[in-house]
Amino acid sequence: MKKLVIKSIAIFSGLLVGLTSCQKEEISYFDSQFNSVRFSSTDDYDAETDIYKGGYSFLENPFDEYGEYELPLVLIGSISDRDRMVEYMIDEEETTAPKGSYEILEALIPADSLKGTIKIRLYNTEEIKNGQSHSLYLRLKASADLGLGPKEYITATVSWNSDIIAPPTTERYKWITYNSLILSSLPPTSTSTTIYSSNALKAIVAALGWNDWDDMEAHPELIQRPAYYNYKYIADYRLIMSDKSYEAYASKLANYLQKYKKEHPDEPLVHNEGNLKGQSIEARSY
């Protein structure tokens, strides 16, 4: 009987040790003090891949040297009266961004906050300007201050590019708007696509802030004209024809191009495709 009691005690002790070990392992995963960090589960979080997927485009500021993006972090645990640095690693196998195309400026949970950020500077490289994309993969690491949150929320990727899509060739009123703004030998009401260049379209978007012509909420006055909402970056010519507002838009584009020329004397803004390839981008005057 003594042997049986001893064996029972030994088994119970083993279970207790195993349970304690599991509890310790589980607690350490979220840090011994329950202070841990993870990425936020906002709309950019992809539940199918367990990766926070951020994106940035130079489309609306195509000639800037760099842009900045912030990956949102969440603190699990108690706030602190001091900033806490967040450790991370770059996944070299998954990352396609070359060295020097990005710079991580900061990774921390600020004092007295349950939220933090990883701030990244993304450079507008020649590859980006020529239509390629870069991707950066990061994975959070445990530190002396902060443990790791659930493994489903510790990986993130940021991709950046300068993608833009030309209006469909069938959208004649979009092409009239383009030709009414960009100087060429064509008449301003031409529907031709022969002088199109993505650089010129990007200049229009940057100068005029045109990036929501497919959004009915942004333009509720056009709710009865659904055909006007089928392209994002160019206003339908019928919207700017009657009041001749295309003249004001062309003037605003001209000011933007003049300012760009002053700020970038050694980097002329030229058409990168079409019949005007290699020539300076200029706005019409009325």
Side-chain angles (χ1 to χ4, degrees), residues 38 43 54 78 116 168 176 185 197 218 230 232:
R38 49 163 278 189
D43 290 342
S78 303
I176 294 176
S185 60
S197 73
N230 54 7
K232 183 174 184 176

Side-chain angles (χ1 to χ4, degrees), residues 99-119:
K99 300 289 186 182
S101 66
Y102 64 88
E103 180 184 358
I104 298 182
L105 305 175
E106 177 179 278
L108 61 81
I109 302 290
D112 304 317
S113 178
L114 289 170
K115 297 180 179 181
T117 57
I118 296 180
K119 295 182 180 180

Side-chain angles (χ1 to χ4, degrees), residues 13-276:
S13 299
L15 289 173
L16 183 60
V17 169
L19 179 60
T20 304
S21 175
C22 290
Q23 288 176 333
K24 284 184 178 180
E25 182 179 353
E26 186 175 336
I27 290 173
S28 64
Y29 188 78
F30 293 97
D31 187 78
S32 59
Q33 301 299 316
F34 296 97
N35 291 322
S36 306
V37 65
R38 49 163 278 189
F39 289 112
S40 175
S41 55
T42 64
D43 290 342
D44 291 317
Y45 173 74
D46 188 339
E48 292 186 5
T49 61
D50 293 330
I51 296 177
Y52 184 95
K53 295 182 176 180
Y56 183 91
S57 176
F58 284 94
L59 178 60
E60 292 166 32
N61 53 335
F63 311 113
D64 284 1
E65 179 186 356
Y66 60 82
E68 292 185 359
Y69 186 86
E70 296 184 357
L71 285 168
L73 299 171
V74 175
L75 172 68
I76 305 173
S78 303
I79 62 174
S80 173
D81 59 359
R82 61 181 178 82
D83 293 346
R84 283 181 283 189
M85 306 303 294
V86 174
E87 297 290 334
Y88 59 88
M89 62 168 287
I90 305 298
D91 188 328
E92 301 289 352
E93 291 186 2
E94 296 289 345
T95 293
T96 63
K99 300 289 186 182
S101 66
Y102 64 88
E103 180 184 358
I104 298 182
L105 305 175
E106 177 179 278
L108 61 81
I109 302 290
D112 304 317
S113 178
L114 289 170
K115 297 180 179 181
T117 57
I118 296 180
K119 295 182 180 180
I120 310 171
R121 179 167 290 173
L122 310 170
Y123 287 97
N124 192 9
T125 64
E126 286 302 314
E127 293 88 351
I128 295 294
K129 293 176 182 177
N130 291 328
Q132 297 183 33
S133 295
H134 294 327
S135 293
L136 173 66
Y137 276 73
L138 302 95
R139 187 170 291 112
L140 299 177
K141 292 172 57 179
S143 67
D145 278 341
L146 296 169
L148 286 176
K151 59 180 173 47
E152 295 84 0
Y153 299 98
I154 63 172
T155 305
T157 177
V158 180
S159 299
W160 64 105
N161 53 48
S162 59
D163 291 344
I164 193 167
I165 300 174
T169 55
T170 55
E171 291 297 323
R172 56 193 305 266
Y173 288 107
K174 309 301 189 296
W175 285 103
I176 294 176
T177 297
Y178 178 91
N179 290 321
S180 73
L181 299 175
I182 299 298
L183 180 64
S184 74
S185 60
L186 296 172
T189 55
S190 171
T191 61
S192 173
T193 65
T194 57
I195 67 159
Y196 170 79
S197 73
S198 58
N199 274 358
L201 181 54
K202 290 175 185 178
I204 292 172
V205 172
L208 307 181
W210 283 1
N211 62 0
D212 59 5
W213 288 106
D214 60 345
D215 186 350
M216 290 190 179
E217 292 185 0
H219 299 281
E221 71 278 8
L222 306 180
I223 197 71
Q224 302 301 322
R225 300 173 178 177
Y228 293 7
Y229 288 101
N230 54 7
Y231 184 69
K232 183 174 184 176
Y233 301 113
I234 291 283
D236 192 290
Y237 187 69
R238 290 168 290 186
L239 300 175
I240 63 176
M241 174 181 61
S242 59
D243 63 356
K244 295 187 176 182
S245 56
Y246 57 84
E247 296 181 1
Y249 288 130
S251 177
K252 190 173 182 180
L253 175 60
N255 291 337
Y256 173 87
L257 294 172
Q258 185 177 14
K259 180 181 179 183
Y260 177 88
K261 188 175 182 180
K262 286 183 178 180
E263 294 177 351
H264 305 83
D266 299 323
E267 300 177 22
L269 187 54
V270 299
H271 291 278
N272 59 326
E273 54 191 315
N275 289 352
L276 299 179

